[in-house]
């Protein structure tokens, strides 16, 4: 059974940083497509970033390019999202997910990120 447990969310001021973690189990993490997504209050779920853990291929949505970095530690079965220069519009519940595509991916329970002064 796929299990994904996110952590690292919290309250941060605009311009600040957070690092999210996602511990994975139940599948071969070292050969997987992994995603971060988010859902802001009153809005739909949106894709943020992708990594292929075997080849370190990464992609980002335009609004986070240059500010967010996705990475994976295959020895620890852990996915990360380093978020710098945070903006109020980054406020959302952040989810990690795995699957062949983002649309069909299995998600964790999420972690809340609030960017506010």
């Amino acid at each position: 059974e796929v299990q994904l447990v996110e952590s690292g969310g919290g309250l941060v001021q605009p311009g600040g940083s957070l690092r999210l973690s996602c511990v994975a189990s139940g599948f071969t993490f070292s050969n997987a497509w992994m995603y971060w997504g988010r859902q802001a209050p009153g809005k739909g779920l949106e894709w943020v970033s992708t990594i292929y853990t075997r080849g370190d291929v990464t992609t980002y949505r335009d609004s986070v390019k240059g500010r967010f970095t996705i990475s994976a530690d295959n020895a620890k079965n852990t996915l990360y999202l380093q978020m710098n220069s945070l903006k109020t519009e980054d406020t959302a519940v952040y989810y990690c997910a795995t699957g062949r595509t983002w649309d069909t991916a299995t998600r964790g329970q999420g972690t809340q990120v609030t960017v506010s002064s």
Side-chain angles (χ1 to χ4, degrees):
E1 177 189 2
V2 171
Q3 289 196 339
L4 302 165
V5 181
E6 302 96 331
S7 63
L11 173 64
V12 63
Q13 292 186 340
S17 298
L18 280 176
R19 188 176 81 155
L20 306 183
S21 300
C22 172
V23 177
S25 61
F27 63 100
T28 305
F29 182 82
S30 59
N31 186 20
W33 289 97
M34 299 296 299
Y35 313 90
W36 284 102
R38 66 188 180 186
Q39 186 163 20
K43 297 187 177 180
L45 184 65
E46 67 179 18
W47 166 80
V48 172
S49 183
T50 301
I51 187 168
Y52 178 49
T53 58
R54 188 171 184 178
D56 250 359
V57 173
T58 59
T59 55
Y60 301 90
R61 69 181 301 110
D62 286 346
S63 62
V64 307
K65 282 181 183 177
R67 300 188 299 122
F68 290 11
T69 303
I70 190 171
S71 62
D73 185 334
N74 291 343
K76 295 182 178 180
N77 280 12
T78 302
L79 179 72
Y80 300 101
L81 185 68
Q82 177 67 44
M83 305 186 295
N84 299 328
S85 302
L86 282 161
K87 305 176 181 181
T88 55
E89 52 262 43
D90 295 319
T91 294
V93 178
Y94 282 72
Y95 300 91
C96 74
T98 187
R100 289 184 178 273
T101 67
W102 163 247
D103 290 341
T104 60
T106 299
R107 288 182 278 136
Q109 85 289 348
T111 185
Q112 176 70 47
V113 171
T114 302
V115 184
S116 174
S117 55

